[in-house]
């Protein structure tokens, strides 16, 4: 018997495939697959969570999250505009929306579980017409009408459970990051859909109250100034790019006759002075809190 | 920011890894040609022939490390399944290198052949999730040196 070690050809125990191509196909597959599965999962979750009765939401402890004085400070004007807007919205019988005002510099407004809408003084100060105020209130009320808070919360819970099941097997921080990004993008897509839906409803309310939707345009212009240049791609943000929202309003109002000149209803002067006094009050409270912290 | 660091690591791992792998394979193929005269035999029974042999234990071991790029590809594979081709070249190189080092030892002894060779693989420093692992391959066998 003759033993020898001949030169064996390469490529039997190894693969000749280019590793970069392998890597790109793998990552695209993993990200795409995860995105698709999660999207289907979220759709199912949304379908079922919408069926949760609205009354159950009222158990949500809102006052633990935002300490609001029970409408002590809310002026009649705000109450008036809110009820006018909400009456236009075709809410189901059992749904009750409560609008709260918070004396804080935060430029924001949001709707949360239980039918609560919060308006912050920071945003109210930036508004320049009643149309814009109506748009804000209508947009938030539309979120509640379409059950977006409970659906959004369910999406988040289901998505994070799913991601922790998958993410546990990823042994590497880069792989984990890819998975995280893909999961977040899937959830946020639905958040943006909610915003578009609310914008649509709110624009409809503006049209029926004022006959034109110029308030919406003004409001979005305000947003784009505040945001000082949106992120270039919206796939990782909760809200759509402001330009896209303006575009949707434009498509909706194309059918409305432009013969009526779009005049904005201004905010009453005593409301504006009231906002100023609120700001001073807030400033005083902050200063006295600082002083008492120093003397302690 | 962390993403940029990881992508840089990935690119570095890919670049250096490819270079190291290419040059290692070249060296392996060249030395395999040189040491071709000393066959490495897996059989337990020594070949018949000249009875005047001295026998010695010869061994070769090598530790090869995984680079960041290979690990990332392997992690993605762990989710989907299938051939982890990035590790295949690694283990192939380690095995052949170990056998070559064993043959070096044999050549130093003026051996004619090495028989009953065995290979053992050990993974060093499996460690936590994020640490780089390495593979050790040990090849050992009996070298037959003609004593006449």
């Amino acid at each position: 018997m003759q033993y020898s070690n001949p030169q064996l050809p390469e490529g039997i125990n190894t693969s000749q495939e280019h590793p970069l191509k392998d890597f790109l196909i793998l990552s695209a597959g993993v990200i795409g697959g995860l995105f698709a599965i999660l999207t289907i999962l979220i759709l199912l979750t949304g379908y079922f969570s919408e069926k949760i009765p609205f009354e159950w939401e009222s158990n949500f402890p809102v006052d633990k999250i935002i300490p609001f004085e029970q409408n002590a400070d809310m002026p009649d004007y705000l109450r008036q505009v809110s009820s006018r807007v909400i009456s236009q919205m075709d809410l189901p019988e059992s749904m009750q929306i409560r609008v709260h005002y918070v004396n804080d510099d935060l430029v924001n407004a949001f709707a949360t579980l239980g039918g609560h809408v919060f308006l912050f003084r920071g945003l109210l100060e930036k508004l320049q017409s009643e149309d814009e105020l109506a748009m804000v209130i209508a947009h938030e009320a539309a979120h509640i009408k379409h059950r977006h808070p409970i659906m959004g919360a369910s999406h988040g819970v289901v998505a994070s459970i799913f991601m922790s099941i998958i993410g546990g097997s990823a042994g590497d921080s880069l792989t984990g990051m890819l998975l995280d990004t893909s999961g977040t993008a899937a959830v946020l897509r639905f958040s943006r859909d909610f915003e578009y839906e609310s914008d649509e409803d709110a624009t409809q309310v503006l049209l029926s109250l004022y006959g034109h939707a110029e308030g919406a345009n003004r409001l979005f212009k305000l947003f784009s100034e505040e945001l000082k240049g949106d992120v270039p791609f919206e796939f990782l943000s909760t809200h759509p790019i402001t330009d896209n929202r303006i575009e949707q309003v434009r498509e909706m109002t194309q059918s409305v006759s432009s013969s009526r000149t779009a005049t904005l209803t201004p905010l009453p002067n005593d409301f504006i002075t009231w906002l100023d006094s609120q700001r001073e009050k807030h400033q005083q409270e902050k200063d006295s809190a600082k002083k008492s912290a120093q003397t302690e | 920011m962390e993403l940029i660091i990881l992508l840089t690591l990935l690119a570095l791992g890919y670049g250096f890894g490819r270079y190291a792998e290419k040059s290692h394979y070249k060296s392996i193929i060249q030395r395999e040609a040189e040491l071709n005269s000393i066959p490495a035999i897996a059989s337990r029974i020594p070949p018949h022939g000249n009875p005047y042999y001295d026998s010695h234990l010869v061994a070769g071991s090598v530790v090869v490390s995984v680079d960041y790029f290979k690990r990332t590809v392997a992690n993605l594979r762990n989710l989907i399944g299938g051939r982890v081709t990035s590790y295949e070249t690694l283990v192939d190189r380690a095995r052949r290198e170990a056998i070559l080092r064993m043959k070096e030892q044999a050549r130093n002894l003026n051996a004619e052949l090495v028989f009953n060779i065995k290979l053992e693989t050990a993974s060093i420093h499996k460690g936590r999730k994020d640490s780089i692992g390495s593979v050790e391959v040990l090849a050992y066998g009996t070298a037959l040196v003609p004593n006449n």
Side-chain angles (χ1 to χ4, degrees), chain A residues 61-125:
Chain A
V62 180
D63 45 355
K64 300 281 191 307
I65 301 192
I66 315 262
F68 61 90
E69 309 100 49
Q70 303 281 341
N71 285 332
D73 265 308
M74 181 130 145
D76 281 331
Y77 176 66
L78 266 184
R79 254 189 267 266
Q80 236 177 53
V81 176
S82 309
S83 48
R84 238 193 311 149
V85 162
I86 291 174
S87 64
Q88 290 289 323
M89 293 201 69
D90 252 346
L91 295 176
E93 286 293 321
S94 56
M95 197 177 276
Q96 195 203 14
I97 297 188
R98 279 169 284 195
V99 181
H100 307 284
Y101 157 80
V102 183
N103 186 6
D104 194 277
D105 298 326
L106 190 64
V107 182
N108 207 349
F110 59 84
T112 184
L113 298 171
H116 298 275
V117 171
F118 289 91
L119 304 170
F120 286 80
R121 193 200 70 235
L123 175 62
L124 294 180
E125 281 177 338

Side-chain angles (χ1 to χ4, degrees), chain B residues 12 16-17 27 35 45 48 50 52 54 63 76 88 113 140:
Chain B
L12 278 176
F16 283 115
S27 149
L35 289 167
I45 303 164
H48 300 296
N50 188 339
Y52 302 107
D54 287 333
V63 181
L76 289 171
E88 278 176 2
L113 59 93
Y140 60 97

Side-chain angles (χ1 to χ4, degrees), chain A residues 1 3-8 10 12-15 17-20 22-23 26-27 29-30 166-175 177-179, chain B residues 2-3 6 10 14 18 25 29 36 38-41 43 47 68-69 71-73 75-77 79-80 83 85 88-89 92 95-96 103 129-130:
Chain A
M1 201 158 23
Y3 287 104
S4 65
N5 285 143
Q7 184 84 17
L8 295 169
E10 305 291 319
I12 296 178
N13 283 325
T14 58
S15 167
E17 191 183 332
H18 197 278
L20 264 187
D22 192 36
F23 174 63
L26 270 179
S27 18
V30 166
I166 299 288
S169 46
D172 180 75
S173 41
L174 180 60
T175 318
M177 218 180 259
L178 283 175
L179 294 175
Chain B
E2 207 183 300
L3 186 67
L6 290 177
L10 200 70
Y14 176 70
R18 285 281 281 179
Y25 264 122
I29 291 173
N36 211 4
I38 306 179
I41 302 156
S43 162
Y68 197 73
F69 180 74
R71 279 197 69 241
T72 310
V73 176
N75 273 317
L76 289 171
R77 270 286 168 206
L79 288 172
I80 300 182
R83 280 176 67 184
T85 55
E88 278 176 2
T89 53
D92 183 49
R95 223 183 304 119
R96 287 159 79 169
K103 284 196 193 180
K129 281 194 339 183
D130 269 357

Side-chain angles (χ1 to χ4, degrees), chain A residues 123 219-228 242 245:
Chain A
L123 175 62
L219 188 68
F220 291 144
K221 210 167 289 176
L222 172 72
F223 286 167
S224 52
E225 277 163 22
E226 280 294 304
L227 292 173
K228 289 191 242 305
T242 319
R245 300 172 84 175

